[in-house]
Amino acid sequence: MTTASSADHPTRRDFLFVATGAAAAVGGAAALWPFISQMNPDASTIAAGAPIEVDLSPVAEGQDIKVFWRGKPIYISHRTKKQIDEARAVNVASLPDPQSDEARVKSGHEQWLVVIGICTHLGCIPIAHEGNYDGFFCPCHGSQYDSSGRIRQGPAPANLPVPPYQFVSDTKIQIG
Amino acid sequence: MSGPSDYQPSNPALQWIERRLPILGLMHSSFVVYPTPRNLNYWWTFGAILSFMLGIQILTGVILAMHYTPHADLAFKSVELLVRDVNYGWLLRNMHAVGASMFFVAVYVHMLRGLYYGSYKEPREVLWILGVIIYLLMMATGFMGYVLPWGQMSFWGATVITNLFSAIPYVGESIVTLLWGGYSVGNPTLNRFFSLHYLLPFLIAGVVVLHVWALHVSGQNNPDGVEPKTEKDTVPFTPHATIKDMFGVSCFMLLYAWFIFYMPNYLGDADNYIPANPGVTPPHIVPEWYYLPFYAILRSIPNKLAGVIGMFSAIIILCFLPWLDAAKTKSSKYRPLAKQFFWIFVAVCILLGYLGAQPPEGIYVIAGRVLTFCYFAYFLIVLPLLSRIEKPRPVPNSISDAVLAKTGSRSTPMVSSAIVLALAGALFAGSADSARASEGSDKPPGNKWSFAGPFGKYDRGALQRGLKVYKEVCANCHGLSYVAFRNLAEAGGPGYSVAQAAAFASDYKVKDGPNDAGDMFERAGRPADYFPSPFPNEQAARAANGGAAPPDLSLITKARSYGRGFPMFIVDFFTQYQEQGPDYVSALLQGFEDKAPEGVTIPEGSYYNKYFPGHAIKMPKPLSDGQVTYDDGSPTTIAQYSKDVTTFLMWTAEPHMEARKRLGFQVFIFLIIFAGLMYFTKKKVWADSH
């Protein structure tokens, strides 16, 4: 009896230890999930991030407004003919983040530029109508964006992003 | 902690650290090779259980603080939103709230174990006193934590407990003002309680380190109360004690999970789901169950100052225990008289706890005084006297002798005392229940609710019909301010689609603004909006309803309850009966009678209701047969309306109930398997040591 039990003893013991250890590891990992998941936006924050509608009719040519969507400032610029022409005259290939102006606005609504007004460098808010490119200038580290919101000079690596939006009528857009 | 360690790690990087900071050696000598008496029983695993609970409370507490707003106007709402909107918020809150009770369950077992086996005796006096300090810190922490949700019991508990200090002669009032930071309990009080509630657990953790340090200097006591003499008397801490502790913890987690997932409100008070109201005191102020024995002592002494002194002495006296009990024999196992008096003392504590929850009148006051005397007599008369007159049975020469002498009957006292303590716990918990007995009204009849029990689910049809009843009848006077239209489309709810919820929302007019011109304006409701309240403020609600503001209904099924009485509340623990609130609401809606019975006078402007406390309710009979049309062919009767709207209101109070019960089932399956594995692993590890 002693011979038999001592022969299979170690295997049985090992299996038990491995199974218990594995159960503890699985349980521990599963128990961790709620503690991580709770850091994500809660249901009310997600609900508050629903699309918003913006009426463009009060914005005159050459003016711009700032609206907030999901806590982010969105610049809506009613561009002048000069600004549009400047934006389209640039050689796209020469840009740090090559993108044509046509790709950044909705066709038929070229006068409207809608961008997220957060500098792609480190998150400051650029000032509209400043800088050398008739666009935006970020006061934090001197990044300059053109009238299409594309990066032209300074440390920022990318163009101002265009948020998801669509025209619901000629004078109304829905952001989100 | 038991002398310089000869531990040498093999890894060169660890060696490098070890030469500069011998922390691994400290861990190794404290938790690996540390000799632990081989005759410890499962009562000794409660130290590990307490460490586990402290960790859980700190972890969940830090997380709750991420979502909590310590402001008198926002605290109650922030807790509700945390439970409703944060991912797993309901789970984290239940873990923390139930965790506090479980922490106290464990600490009482731990303390009684120390009392029974004489763990406070020489050379462990400092260890014991550090434990009393931890217990005091726990009480302060628990009290301040209970204030944070800012419900009715929070507010009035804070008022009553801070007023204890007003008993101090001459400076009492100034001290109370200092504690409050105002002329009454208010926002400054809440802010400082939040700050201190966050601070104290870390102090507890610090004292726990000292407690463990002291433990590792003097070594653990053991059931036989003889100090280890040779190596045969001990086993290394790891793996023996660690695996046994982990098995103990996994069993304790089963009890903990039972409350978290199935009975989260069993240990709480329904009144705390009513937002704090400085103008109305609940009929019975009852502290959490773990303070009840001391609360009973406080109330038993007719003089204010003496009562406060009595209550604090009841705890402080524990510090003097090592000198009050001078008997040489440690363990009550070998002290026939001390053993009996110990159990009498346990009974006294439980009965005091029961009395703490009863109204302070009649026989309860007298019983409270007798038991208060017995409590102090145990420490001041019985223990000093016993150490002189008692003739203890002979103690074994060594731990190994004690282990060898053991027979199969060893586990019997363990099991029986576990049962006694479990019953005691239920009695404690239930004693809070009897305090909320609705006086002057009939007990609501029980109902069959689809959402009752461990697998309960909401009846979707009832939820949808109940929403219709709420919208067409209740909403004229009652708000539903914690429920958003988006909730109607959430899983576990009435089962509407997102589009249906949006369409439902757009029927409502919601006030928004200011717009660019600075004006407020009305717009159609959106899914993110909350149900608009029928009145702009409480004053308007009061004025329109004969002086009684109709309560918000979001939480009504959890904010109302009635006493189940002994022994039902013990049965309820096992059957998971949690439906006092729905039973009451449903009974109330059907309890109107046109004529008050003989001898009952109902004031002008009030109506007779069989189930309303005091019978005179300001709400006129809200429902009548055929009032609301149903599309699904359900009967349009008052009984059906009541059932549907109560089901709906249960959902508004507990929107994640289905997820809670579902996850609970999975957790139970896991824990049972895990505890089984731990049990066999423990048996294997200990196979050679018994």
Side-chain angles (χ1 to χ4, degrees):
Chain A
M1 175 214 155
T2 44
T3 345
S5 70
S6 63
D8 68 1
H9 204 191
T11 356
R12 276 223 320 250
R13 169 130 96 190
D14 286 349
F15 174 73
L16 184 62
F17 288 169
V18 168
T20 310
V26 169
L32 215 54
W33 175 242
F35 294 89
I36 296 164
S37 174
Q38 55 86 22
M39 301 267 263
N40 269 318
D42 69 21
S44 65
T45 308
I46 292 167
I52 54 164
E53 286 194 347
V54 183
D55 181 14
L56 302 178
S57 53
V59 189
E61 195 174 284
Q63 282 190 332
D64 60 291
I65 56 167
K66 203 193 290 182
V67 297
F68 278 86
W69 176 66
R70 295 193 169 171
K72 291 175 175 157
I74 311 279
Y75 275 114
I76 304 173
S77 304
H78 192 165
R79 300 191 293 179
T80 60
K81 180 90 178 47
K82 176 170 164 279
Q83 282 178 307
I84 300 171
D85 290 345
E86 277 171 1
R88 301 201 161 180
V90 180
N91 173 15
V92 171
S94 71
L95 295 172
D97 181 8
Q99 208 178 9
S100 70
D101 185 59
E102 287 83 352
R104 294 174 57 79
V105 295
K106 304 279 179 203
S107 64
H109 301 283
E110 289 82 5
Q111 70 274 37
W112 295 105
L113 175 73
V114 182
V115 288
I116 297 176
I118 296 178
C119 183
T120 56
H121 181 217
L122 290 170
C124 295
I125 308 298
I127 303 163
H129 301 300
E130 281 202 19
N132 302 331
Y133 301 92
D134 216 358
F136 306 87
F137 168 72
C138 180
C140 288
H141 306 98
S143 291
Q144 302 206 14
Y145 300 87
D146 65 12
S147 54
S148 188
R150 292 171 299 194
I151 183 65
R152 298 295 285 272
Q153 188 186 320
N159 302 332
L160 293 179
V162 177
Y165 74 99
Q166 63 201 39
F167 278 85
V168 284
S169 73
D170 268 357
T171 59
K172 205 173 226 184
I173 59 168
Q174 187 193 50
I175 301 175
Chain B
M1 292 181 193
S2 49
S5 170
D6 51 4
Y7 174 71
Q8 263 307 323
S10 51
N11 183 309
L14 294 181
Q15 275 172 5
W16 188 89
I17 294 172
E18 191 64 10
R19 274 200 300 280
R20 287 152 182 85
L21 179 73
I23 189 162
L24 292 167
L26 180 72
M27 292 305 202
H28 188 258
S29 61
S30 308
F31 301 110
V32 180
V33 290
Y34 174 72
T36 178
R38 58 188 284 190
N39 61 337
L40 298 187
N41 57 29
Y42 278 105
W43 297 121
W44 261 264
T45 60
F46 278 84
I49 289 168
L50 283 164
S51 312
F52 169 76
M53 286 315 302
L54 179 62
I56 290 280
Q57 287 304 85
I58 290 181
L59 181 64
T60 53
V62 166
I63 283 169
L64 293 188
M66 293 179 189
H67 304 284
Y68 172 75
T69 313
H71 186 283
D73 296 337
L74 304 170
F76 187 87
K77 189 167 187 183
S78 75
V79 173
E80 265 315 305
L81 297 186
L82 140 74
V83 166
R84 285 155 193 269
D85 288 340
V86 173
N87 297 341
Y88 295 99
W90 58 267
L91 173 64
L92 297 163
R93 198 223 171 176
N94 286 356
M95 281 176 83
H96 197 72
V98 172
S101 278
M102 292 296 111
F103 204 166
F104 276 96
V105 167
V107 86
Y108 284 132
V109 173
H110 193 64
M111 289 163 79
L112 288 174
R113 189 266 286 153
L115 205 58
Y116 184 84
Y117 293 113
S119 299
Y120 47 85
K121 293 184 187 216
E122 198 274 318
R124 298 187 180 84
E125 297 94 330
V126 171
L127 172 62
W128 174 261
I129 291 169
L130 286 168
V132 177
I133 293 169
I134 293 172
Y135 175 56
L136 277 171
L137 287 171
M138 275 176 67
M139 293 186 97
T141 312
F143 158 64
M144 285 191 270
Y146 194 54
V147 174
L148 301 185
W150 213 237
Q152 271 291 68
M153 272 303 163
S154 300
F155 184 90
W156 291 102
T159 302
V160 168
I161 301 298
T162 48
N163 263 316
L164 291 177
F165 293 92
S166 70
I168 301 170
Y170 308 117
V171 292
E173 294 294 337
S174 318
I175 289 176
V176 172
T177 309
L178 187 84
L179 292 175
W180 287 342
Y183 305 110
S184 60
V185 172
N187 194 51
T189 325
L190 178 61
N191 269 295
R192 62 193 58 186
F193 277 21
F194 177 56
S195 170
L196 293 172
H197 182 72
Y198 207 116
L199 168 71
L200 290 185
F202 296 98
L203 290 187
I204 294 178
V207 185
V208 165
V209 169
L210 296 181
H211 191 67
V212 173
W213 186 7
L215 174 75
H216 285 225
V217 169
S218 55
Q220 283 162 293
N221 186 30
N222 58 74
D224 294 292
V226 284
E227 300 298 324
K229 293 187 178 101
T230 62
E231 264 192 26
K232 279 199 313 196
D233 292 342
T234 61
V235 287
F237 192 86
T238 301
H240 294 79
T242 33
I243 209 79
K244 194 169 174 176
D245 284 347
M246 279 170 70
F247 173 59
V249 169
S250 55
C251 290
F252 192 77
M253 277 164 83
L254 279 165
L255 175 70
Y256 186 22
W258 185 266
F259 283 111
I260 292 175
F261 293 106
Y262 296 123
M263 321 276 298
N265 298 311
Y266 183 75
L267 297 164
D269 198 300
D271 276 321
N272 227 26
Y273 280 108
I274 304 170
N277 179 353
V280 183
T281 309
H284 293 292
I285 296 284
V286 185
E288 290 291 82
W289 67 267
Y290 33 88
Y291 302 127
L292 287 174
F294 304 104
Y295 193 60
I297 291 175
L298 168 78
R299 296 194 311 187
S300 297
I301 302 174
N303 177 289
K304 181 173 174 179
L305 178 60
V308 174
I309 292 173
M311 186 180 80
F312 282 109
S313 331
I315 302 165
I316 301 300
I317 201 164
L318 293 170
C319 288
F320 299 96
L321 189 58
W323 296 277
L324 291 168
D325 175 14
K328 287 279 174 288
T329 308
K330 290 199 183 90
S331 173
S332 294
K333 219 170 140 180
Y334 302 104
R335 300 179 62 190
L337 285 174
K339 188 192 277 182
Q340 286 171 32
F341 278 106
F342 169 83
W343 287 111
I344 292 172
F345 174 73
V346 172
V348 165
C349 290
I350 291 166
L351 289 172
L352 275 173
Y354 177 76
L355 290 178
Q358 304 309 315
E361 58 201 21
I363 182 75
Y364 294 134
V365 177
I366 299 159
R369 286 181 190 159
V370 172
L371 289 169
T372 300
F373 173 79
C374 293
Y375 181 93
F376 284 103
Y378 178 71
F379 293 106
L380 297 174
I381 302 170
V382 174
L383 286 180
L385 207 61
L386 279 185
S387 49
R388 281 170 184 79
I389 61 163
E390 187 183 32
K391 196 170 175 334
R393 295 201 286 121
V395 169
N397 275 328
S398 71
I399 291 176
S400 352
D401 286 0
V403 173
L404 288 174
K406 263 172 196 165
T407 59
S409 69
R410 182 175 57 89
S411 62
T412 326
M414 173 86 194
V415 170
S416 59
S417 35
I419 292 167
V420 167
L421 284 171
L423 280 176
L427 194 64
F428 259 73
S431 51
D433 159 279
S434 35
R436 61 174 98 103
S438 43
E439 274 163 25
S441 62
D442 296 22
K443 282 207 174 163
N447 293 273
K448 275 224 174 306
W449 297 109
S450 65
F451 48 81
F455 303 104
K457 281 189 167 26
Y458 292 117
D459 172 353
R460 304 272 167 255
L463 287 181
Q464 298 191 356
R465 293 191 299 272
L467 172 62
K468 195 159 194 272
V469 175
Y470 168 76
K471 189 183 174 188
E472 291 180 20
V473 183
C474 318
N476 293 319
C477 300
H478 293 278
L480 203 60
S481 52
Y482 296 128
V483 183
F485 297 118
R486 63 184 156 84
N487 296 137
L488 298 173
E490 277 169 11
Y496 289 113
S497 68
V498 173
Q500 281 172 313
F504 187 90
S506 63
D507 286 348
Y508 283 83
K509 287 271 166 284
V510 175
K511 199 160 202 178
D512 200 352
N515 60 16
D516 292 343
D519 300 321
M520 302 303 281
F521 58 94
E522 281 202 334
R523 58 165 175 79
R526 298 181 190 135
D529 291 321
Y530 289 82
F531 275 79
S533 292
F535 301 103
N537 51 53
E538 200 192 314
Q539 283 77 1
R542 223 171 259 293
N545 290 283
D552 190 273
L553 296 185
S554 318
L555 281 165
I556 201 79
T557 50
K558 288 207 293 194
R560 295 289 182 276
S561 189
Y562 63 92
R564 295 274 287 167
F566 182 83
M568 273 317 286
F569 57 75
I570 293 175
V571 178
D572 292 346
F573 170 78
F574 296 100
T575 57
Q576 300 182 351
Y577 177 80
Q578 287 265 280
E579 282 74 40
Q580 290 100 320
D583 282 346
Y584 171 80
V585 171
S586 161
L588 184 89
L589 290 172
Q590 302 172 69
F592 285 89
E593 269 159 39
D594 295 338
K595 273 179 69 121
E598 285 294 312
V600 179
T601 45
I602 294 298
E604 191 65 27
S606 293
Y607 304 87
Y608 178 82
N609 190 300
K610 216 173 142 186
Y611 300 104
F612 190 72
H615 294 305
I617 187 168
K618 287 273 188 183
M619 171 169 78
K621 186 180 174 199
L623 295 167
S624 50
D625 287 339
Q627 188 177 1
V628 179
T629 52
Y630 279 162
D631 309 327
D632 62 357
S634 298
T636 54
T637 58
I638 296 182
Q640 185 67 32
Y641 292 151
S642 305
K643 192 169 184 195
D644 291 343
V645 81
T646 306
T647 305
F648 172 70
L649 291 175
M650 190 63 221
W651 169 73
T652 64
E654 193 81 47
H656 297 300
M657 192 206 69
E658 290 188 6
R660 164 160 70 78
K661 291 182 175 176
R662 196 183 326 118
L663 185 60
F665 183 66
Q666 292 161 354
V667 167
F668 260 88
I669 298 283
F670 172 80
L671 281 180
I672 289 168
I673 292 171
F674 184 63
L677 281 171
M678 285 305 300
Y679 175 73
F680 290 113
T681 307
K682 186 252 154 195
K683 272 189 84 158
K684 276 272 183 279
V685 166
W686 281 79
D688 306 326
S689 310
H690 276 309

Coordinates of all heavy atoms in Angstrom, one line a residue, chain B residues 381-429:
Chain B
I381 N -15.8 41.9 38.2 CA -16.0 41.0 39.3 C -15.7 39.6 39.0 O -14.8 39.0 39.6 CB -17.5 41.1 39.8 CG1 -17.9 42.5 40.2 CG2 -17.8 40.1 40.9 CD1 -19.3 42.8 40.4
V382 N -16.3 39.1 37.9 CA -16.1 37.6 37.6 C -14.7 37.3 37.3 O -14.1 36.4 37.9 CB -17.0 37.3 36.4 CG1 -16.8 35.8 36.0 CG2 -18.5 37.5 36.7
L383 N -14.0 38.0 36.3 CA -12.7 37.6 35.9 C -11.7 37.7 37.1 O -10.9 36.8 37.3 CB -12.2 38.3 34.7 CG -12.9 37.9 33.4 CD1 -12.4 38.7 32.2 CD2 -12.7 36.4 33.1
P384 N -11.7 38.9 37.8 CA -10.7 38.9 38.9 C -11.0 37.8 40.0 O -10.1 37.3 40.5 CB -11.0 40.3 39.5 CG -11.6 41.1 38.4 CD -12.4 40.1 37.6
L385 N -12.3 37.6 40.2 CA -12.6 36.6 41.3 C -12.2 35.2 40.8 O -11.6 34.4 41.6 CB -14.1 36.7 41.5 CG -14.6 36.2 42.9 CD1 -14.0 37.1 43.9 CD2 -16.1 36.3 43.0
L386 N -12.5 34.9 39.5 CA -12.2 33.5 39.0 C -10.7 33.2 39.1 O -10.3 32.1 39.5 CB -12.7 33.4 37.6 CG -14.1 33.1 37.3 CD1 -14.4 32.9 35.8 CD2 -14.6 31.9 38.1
S387 N -9.9 34.3 38.8 CA -8.5 34.0 38.8 C -8.0 33.6 40.2 O -6.9 33.1 40.4 CB -7.7 35.2 38.3 OG -8.1 36.4 38.9
R388 N -8.8 33.9 41.2 CA -8.4 33.5 42.6 C -9.1 32.2 43.0 O -8.4 31.4 43.7 CB -8.9 34.7 43.6 CG -7.9 35.8 43.5 CD -8.3 37.0 44.3 NE -7.4 38.1 44.1 CZ -7.3 38.9 43.0 NH1 -8.1 38.7 42.0 NH2 -6.4 39.8 42.9
I389 N -10.3 32.0 42.7 CA -11.0 30.8 43.2 C -11.0 29.6 42.3 O -11.2 28.5 42.7 CB -12.4 31.2 43.7 CG1 -13.3 31.6 42.5 CG2 -12.4 32.2 44.8 CD1 -14.7 31.6 42.8
E390 N -10.9 29.8 41.0 CA -11.1 28.7 40.1 C -9.9 27.8 40.1 O -8.7 28.2 40.2 CB -11.2 29.3 38.6 CG -11.6 28.2 37.6 CD -11.6 28.8 36.2 OE1 -10.8 29.7 35.9 OE2 -12.4 28.3 35.4
K391 N -10.2 26.5 40.0 CA -9.2 25.5 40.0 C -9.1 24.9 38.6 O -10.0 24.1 38.2 CB -9.5 24.4 41.0 CG -8.3 23.5 41.3 CD -8.5 22.6 42.5 CE -7.4 21.6 42.7 NZ -6.5 21.2 41.7
P392 N -8.2 25.3 37.8 CA -8.1 24.9 36.4 C -7.8 23.4 36.2 O -7.1 22.9 37.1 CB -7.1 25.8 35.7 CG -6.3 26.3 36.9 CD -7.1 26.3 38.1
R393 N -8.2 22.9 35.1 CA -7.8 21.5 34.8 C -6.3 21.5 34.4 O -5.8 22.5 34.0 CB -8.6 20.9 33.7 CG -10.1 20.8 34.1 CD -10.8 19.8 33.2 NE -11.1 20.4 31.8 CZ -10.7 19.9 30.7 NH1 -9.9 18.8 30.7 NH2 -10.9 20.4 29.5
P394 N -5.6 20.4 34.5 CA -4.2 20.4 34.2 C -4.0 20.7 32.7 O -4.7 20.2 31.8 CB -3.7 19.0 34.5 CG -5.0 18.2 34.6 CD -6.1 19.1 35.0
V395 N -3.0 21.5 32.4 CA -2.7 21.9 31.1 C -1.7 20.9 30.5 O -0.8 20.4 31.2 CB -2.1 23.3 31.1 CG1 -1.5 23.7 29.8 CG2 -3.1 24.3 31.6
P396 N -1.8 20.5 29.2 CA -0.8 19.6 28.6 C 0.6 20.2 28.7 O 0.8 21.4 28.8 CB -1.2 19.4 27.2 CG -2.2 20.4 26.9 CD -2.8 20.9 28.2
N397 N 1.6 19.3 28.7 CA 3.0 19.7 28.8 C 3.5 20.5 27.7 O 4.2 21.5 27.8 CB 3.9 18.5 29.0 CG 4.0 18.0 30.4 OD1 3.9 18.9 31.3 ND2 4.1 16.7 30.6
S398 N 3.0 20.1 26.5 CA 3.4 20.8 25.3 C 2.3 20.7 24.3 O 1.4 20.0 24.4 CB 4.7 20.1 24.7 OG 4.4 18.9 24.2
I399 N 2.5 21.5 23.2 CA 1.5 21.5 22.1 C 1.5 20.1 21.5 O 0.4 19.6 21.1 CB 1.9 22.6 21.1 CG1 1.7 24.0 21.7 CG2 1.1 22.5 19.8 CD1 2.1 25.1 20.9
S400 N 2.6 19.5 21.3 CA 2.6 18.1 20.6 C 1.8 17.2 21.5 O 1.0 16.3 20.9 CB 4.0 17.6 20.4 OG 5.0 18.5 20.7
D401 N 1.9 17.2 22.8 CA 1.1 16.4 23.7 C -0.4 16.6 23.5 O -1.2 15.7 23.4 CB 1.5 16.6 25.1 CG 2.8 16.0 25.5 OD1 3.4 15.4 24.6 OD2 3.2 16.2 26.7
A402 N -0.7 17.9 23.4 CA -2.1 18.3 23.2 C -2.6 17.7 21.9 O -3.7 17.2 21.8 CB -2.3 19.8 23.2
V403 N -1.8 17.8 20.8 CA -2.2 17.3 19.5 C -2.4 15.8 19.6 O -3.4 15.3 19.0 CB -1.2 17.7 18.4 CG1 -1.6 17.1 17.1 CG2 -1.2 19.3 18.3
L404 N -1.5 15.1 20.2 CA -1.6 13.7 20.3 C -2.8 13.2 21.1 O -3.4 12.2 20.8 CB -0.3 13.1 20.9 CG 0.9 13.2 19.9 CD1 2.2 12.7 20.7 CD2 0.7 12.4 18.7
A405 N -3.1 14.0 22.1 CA -4.2 13.6 23.0 C -5.6 13.8 22.4 O -6.6 13.3 22.9 CB -4.1 14.4 24.3
K406 N -5.6 14.5 21.3 CA -6.9 14.9 20.7 C -7.6 13.7 20.1 O -7.0 12.8 19.5 CB -6.7 15.9 19.6 CG -6.9 17.3 20.1 CD -6.6 18.3 19.1 CE -6.4 19.7 19.8 NZ -5.7 20.6 18.9
T407 N -8.9 13.7 20.1 CA -9.7 12.7 19.5 C -10.6 13.3 18.4 O -10.5 14.4 18.1 CB -10.6 12.0 20.6 OG1 -11.4 13.0 21.1 CG2 -9.8 11.3 21.6
G408 N -11.5 12.4 17.9 CA -12.3 12.9 16.8 C -13.3 14.0 17.3 O -13.8 14.7 16.4
S409 N -13.5 14.1 18.6 CA -14.5 15.1 19.0 C -14.0 16.5 18.9 O -14.7 17.4 19.3 CB -14.9 14.8 20.5 OG -13.8 15.1 21.3
R410 N -12.8 16.7 18.5 CA -12.1 18.0 18.5 C -13.0 19.0 17.7 O -13.0 20.2 18.1 CB -10.8 17.8 17.8 CG -9.9 19.0 17.7 CD -8.6 18.7 17.2 NE -8.8 18.0 15.8 CZ -8.8 18.7 14.7 NH1 -8.6 20.0 14.7 NH2 -9.0 18.1 13.6
S411 N -13.6 18.6 16.6 CA -14.2 19.6 15.8 C -15.6 20.0 16.3 O -16.1 21.0 15.9 CB -14.3 19.1 14.4 OG -15.2 18.0 14.4
T412 N -16.1 19.2 17.2 CA -17.5 19.5 17.7 C -17.7 20.9 18.3 O -18.6 21.6 17.9 CB -18.0 18.4 18.6 OG1 -17.4 17.2 18.2 CG2 -19.5 18.3 18.6
P413 N -16.8 21.2 19.3 CA -17.1 22.6 19.9 C -16.9 23.7 18.8 O -17.6 24.7 18.9 CB -16.0 22.7 21.0 CG -15.0 21.6 20.7 CD -15.7 20.5 19.9
M414 N -16.1 23.5 17.9 CA -15.9 24.4 16.8 C -17.2 24.7 16.0 O -17.6 25.8 15.9 CB -14.8 23.9 15.9 CG -14.6 24.7 14.6 SD -13.4 26.0 15.0 CE -13.7 27.0 13.5
V415 N -17.8 23.5 15.7 CA -19.0 23.6 14.9 C -20.1 24.3 15.7 O -20.8 25.2 15.2 CB -19.4 22.2 14.4 CG1 -20.8 22.3 13.7 CG2 -18.4 21.7 13.4
S416 N -20.3 23.8 16.9 CA -21.4 24.3 17.7 C -21.2 25.8 18.0 O -22.2 26.6 17.9 CB -21.5 23.5 19.0 OG -20.3 23.6 19.8
S417 N -20.0 26.2 18.3 CA -19.8 27.6 18.6 C -20.0 28.4 17.3 O -20.5 29.6 17.3 CB -18.5 27.9 19.2 OG -17.5 27.1 18.8
A418 N -19.7 27.8 16.1 CA -19.9 28.5 14.9 C -21.4 28.8 14.7 O -21.8 29.8 14.2 CB -19.3 27.8 13.7
I419 N -22.2 27.7 15.0 CA -23.6 27.9 14.9 C -24.2 28.9 15.8 O -25.0 29.8 15.4 CB -24.3 26.5 15.1 CG1 -24.0 25.5 14.0 CG2 -25.8 26.7 15.2 CD1 -24.3 24.1 14.3
V420 N -23.7 28.9 17.1 CA -24.1 29.9 18.0 C -23.8 31.3 17.5 O -24.7 32.2 17.5 CB -23.4 29.7 19.4 CG1 -23.6 30.9 20.3 CG2 -23.9 28.4 20.0
L421 N -22.6 31.5 17.0 CA -22.2 32.8 16.5 C -23.0 33.2 15.3 O -23.4 34.4 15.1 CB -20.7 32.9 16.2 CG -19.9 33.0 17.5 CD1 -18.4 32.8 17.1 CD2 -20.1 34.3 18.2
A422 N -23.3 32.2 14.4 CA -24.1 32.6 13.2 C -25.5 33.0 13.6 O -26.0 34.0 13.1 CB -24.2 31.3 12.3
L423 N -26.1 32.3 14.6 CA -27.4 32.7 15.1 C -27.4 34.1 15.7 O -28.2 34.9 15.6 CB -27.9 31.7 16.1 CG -28.5 30.4 15.5 CD1 -28.9 29.4 16.6 CD2 -29.8 30.8 14.6
A424 N -26.3 34.3 16.5 CA -26.1 35.6 17.1 C -26.0 36.7 16.1 O -26.7 37.7 16.3 CB -24.8 35.6 18.0
G425 N -25.3 36.4 15.0 CA -25.2 37.4 14.0 C -26.5 37.7 13.4 O -26.9 38.9 13.2
A426 N -27.3 36.7 13.2 CA -28.7 36.9 12.6 C -29.5 37.7 13.6 O -30.3 38.6 13.2 CB -29.3 35.6 12.3
L427 N -29.4 37.4 14.8 CA -30.2 38.1 15.9 C -29.8 39.6 15.9 O -30.7 40.5 15.9 CB -29.9 37.5 17.2 CG -30.9 37.9 18.3 CD1 -32.2 37.4 18.0 CD2 -30.4 37.3 19.7
F428 N -28.5 39.9 15.8 CA -28.1 41.2 15.7 C -28.7 42.0 14.5 O -29.3 43.0 14.6 CB -26.6 41.3 15.5 CG -25.8 41.5 16.8 CD1 -25.8 40.6 17.8 CD2 -25.2 42.7 17.0 CE1 -25.1 40.8 19.0 CE2 -24.5 43.0 18.2 CZ -24.5 42.0 19.2
A429 N -28.5 41.3 13.3 CA -28.9 41.9 12.1 C -30.4 42.2 12.2 O -30.9 43.2 11.8 CB -28.6 41.1 10.9

